[in-house]
Amino acid sequence: MRSVREIVRRARDLGIGIPAFNVAHLPMTEPIIRAVRDQDSFALVEVSRIDWVKFGAQSPEEVMVEYRIHEDPRHVRIHLDHVPAVDEDQNVVNYRVIIEEAIALGYDSVMIDASRLTLNDNIRVSREIAEIASRSGVPVEAELGAVLGHENGVLPPYEELFTSGRGFTRVDEAVRFVKESSCDWLSVAIGNIHGAVGDATKDQKKVEARLALDHLATLAESTGIPLVLHGGSGIRQADMLASLRRGICKVNVGTEIRQAYEQALRAGGSIADAREATYARTSSLIKNWFQLSGIRQRLTS
Ligand code: G3H
Ligand code: ZN
């Protein structure tokens, strides 16, 4: 069976992307996997530190236990999403311990997010993790640029952010970063933003983000490695689809399926109802938004 590293490379060759769905609450694991399988598609199940610190994923161990019950490697693999060196509230995080434990638990790929550090420190930290992960053959995703939205406080108006290009990944820095950090995949900032996670804002509908597609194409060509699009919820569909033909190989989606789950509960539903809401939204995203139903065989064999 192909490794996740090979599958992501194949996605790049085919000009398609791999959805990566965040487990914000443990019971979301099963319906995500069921949706991917029923669509005969392929996706990553992922959990970030925010999912277990601010929402109901509990821990990477708990998610792995749940994943093992329902796993189907023909359709899904498990990825450790954002482990920040400094988190959205400016706390310093012991990223190394979390990532080493996840690798020992059997996570197929991991992300180190040192994007809040200086370029030199981001390179140093990402390289440290790339060296650790390479001993187990686990691919490492790193981030360069500012994919805003997780931090507390009010974001500047989206149009202002997009037209100014504030926080966008710079081509010269990306080339140096990839060479010196030895990361396998790179998360880039090209107009994408994260859904809010603060208590007062986490239920809000996300702004429809656009993507700087020419800039993305230059980043992909200059770095030569698979690129990752974070903040997938609510991106303009035409831009997201175009990004898959310009070097994006993995698209993270969190807010949209988390809100589907939480809204079902708030409406008085049971956990079973919330699972079905997650299933319905994940299925619809794969089928209608990503248009990736039926691609499993092309990607994995
Ligand atoms: O790492 C997680 C993703 O970037 C999710 O972003 O919640 O805006 O879909 P989103
Ligand atoms: Zn993200």
Side-chain angles (χ1 to χ4, degrees):
M1 198 163 331
R2 282 181 193 272
S3 70
V4 70
R5 186 195 301 278
E6 292 167 331
I7 292 171
V8 169
R9 205 173 294 139
R10 188 151 172 79
R12 189 177 59 162
D13 295 344
L14 292 170
I16 57 181
I18 296 173
F21 294 109
N22 282 80
V23 173
H25 302 279
L26 273 186
M28 294 172 68
T29 314
E30 182 276 328
I32 291 171
I33 296 174
R34 180 158 41 101
V36 179
R37 190 191 296 118
D38 288 355
Q39 292 299 320
D40 193 24
S41 195
F42 184 88
L44 300 181
V45 172
E46 65 179 15
V47 63
S48 71
R49 181 174 172 274
I50 284 179
D51 292 320
W52 73 79
V53 170
K54 298 204 165 158
F55 297 105
Q58 297 188 30
S59 68
E61 294 89 331
E62 293 288 333
V63 174
M64 183 56 97
V65 168
E66 193 69 14
Y67 177 79
R68 289 287 184 226
I69 296 170
H70 306 287
E71 71 178 327
D72 184 344
R74 293 171 309 150
H75 292 280
V76 287
R77 304 293 164 87
I78 186 161
H79 171 75
L80 183 73
D81 188 25
H82 294 280
V83 176
V86 171
D87 76 7
E88 61 286 356
D89 301 319
Q90 295 304 314
N91 300 305
V92 174
V93 175
N94 195 342
Y95 58 85
R96 186 179 167 141
V97 168
I98 297 171
I99 292 174
E100 282 178 336
E101 281 175 7
I103 292 172
L105 283 165
Y107 275 75
D108 296 302
S109 50
V110 297
M111 178 184 189
I112 172 68
D113 176 2
S115 62
R116 292 189 183 91
L117 306 185
T118 62
L119 176 62
N120 283 339
D121 285 342
N122 191 353
I123 290 173
R124 178 180 52 77
V125 166
S126 302
R127 182 176 182 83
E128 177 192 356
I129 295 304
E131 280 171 4
I132 291 169
S134 70
R135 290 180 214 137
S136 311
V138 168
V140 170
E141 177 182 338
E143 180 164 303
L144 181 66
V147 183
L148 300 172
H150 279 161
E151 301 78 8
N152 269 321
V154 184
L155 273 182
Y158 178 75
E159 279 310 310
E160 195 181 304
L161 269 179
F162 187 78
T163 32
S164 69
R166 189 182 131 196
F168 281 18
T169 308
R170 285 177 43 172
V171 176
D172 57 340
E173 292 189 352
V175 170
R176 182 179 158 213
F177 184 89
V178 166
K179 192 161 165 247
E180 296 185 15
S181 73
S182 302
C183 67
D184 297 281
W185 311 328
L186 183 67
S187 158
V188 291
I190 50 171
N192 46 324
I193 52 167
H194 280 121
V197 295
D199 279 342
T201 47
K202 66 183 170 54
D203 301 328
Q204 285 171 2
K205 187 172 162 49
K206 270 186 80 179
V207 63
E208 187 186 54
R210 295 188 283 134
L211 301 176
L213 293 165
D214 290 343
H215 185 56
L216 168 62
T218 311
L219 283 168
E221 211 167 290
S222 319
T223 58
I225 65 167
L227 301 182
V228 180
L229 185 64
H230 279 243
S233 301
I235 292 178
R236 183 185 290 181
Q237 186 188 25
D239 285 19
M240 184 278 297
L241 290 174
S243 79
L244 306 183
R245 296 186 293 275
R246 288 172 173 78
I248 293 293
C249 304
K250 168 174 176 280
V251 181
N252 286 17
V253 175
T255 303
E256 200 162 335
I257 58 171
R258 171 180 61 77
Q259 288 180 345
Y261 180 91
E262 292 171 350
Q263 277 158 13
L265 287 183
R266 263 203 309 276
S270 62
I271 287 184
D273 296 327
R275 277 190 208 262
E276 291 321 303
T278 306
Y279 174 81
R281 189 66 62 89
T282 307
S283 305
S284 159
L285 283 168
I286 294 168
K287 186 173 178 205
N288 304 315
W289 196 65
F290 282 112
Q291 302 176 346
L292 286 174
S293 301
I295 51 90
R296 179 195 60 84
Q297 202 174 1
R298 285 174 72 207
L299 262 182
T300 60
S301 58

